[in-house]
Amino acid sequence: MKCHRLNELISLLQPAWQQEPDLNLVQFLQKMADEAGFTQPLADLSDDVLIYHLKLRNADKSEAIPGLQKDYEDDFKTALLRARGVIKD
């Protein structure tokens, strides 16, 4: 599990960091933390915060959050009935 997360983080980090070649790694991580609104010490920054921030960094603000799109329903009534188990998949 940890290896998968490391590979995902590196694949997201590499192209973003290449756009900021004047920053060293710690400076770049601090910049990502600041952009994400993370106010705690950098040592407390989790890989989840970095992964989600890097995924959503250049995304359209009206776009659905990755992982939630699968649960999206156009109609509120359908969503409510599905959540209550009336409609089965």
Side-chain angles (χ1 to χ4, degrees):
M1 177 69 178
K2 296 263 183 196
C3 186
H4 169 71
R5 288 167 62 142
L6 177 63
N7 291 336
E8 183 178 14
L9 182 58
I10 289 172
S11 69
L12 292 168
L13 194 61
Q14 182 182 10
W17 190 15
Q18 285 176 337
Q19 294 175 359
E20 308 274 347
D22 55 321
L23 299 178
N24 66 39
L25 180 60
V26 174
Q27 291 171 328
F28 184 73
L29 292 175
Q30 184 64 58
K31 180 179 179 178
M32 294 296 99
D34 293 342
E35 285 180 10
F38 189 80
T39 58
Q40 298 171 5
L42 192 58
D44 295 336
L45 183 65
S46 70
D47 53 342
D48 291 330
V49 171
L50 284 171
I51 289 170
Y52 277 101
H53 180 65
L54 287 166
K55 282 183 176 182
L56 298 173
R57 187 176 185 210
N58 297 321
D60 184 19
K61 301 299 181 200
S62 62
E63 193 173 308
I65 297 172
L68 296 181
Q69 182 64 37
K70 64 180 177 51
D71 297 325
Y72 180 77
E73 292 286 345
D74 288 327
D75 178 30
F76 178 75
K77 181 179 176 183
T78 304
L80 188 61
L81 293 173
R82 190 177 311 278
R84 290 187 177 173
V86 176
I87 299 175
K88 306 273 189 222
D89 288 330

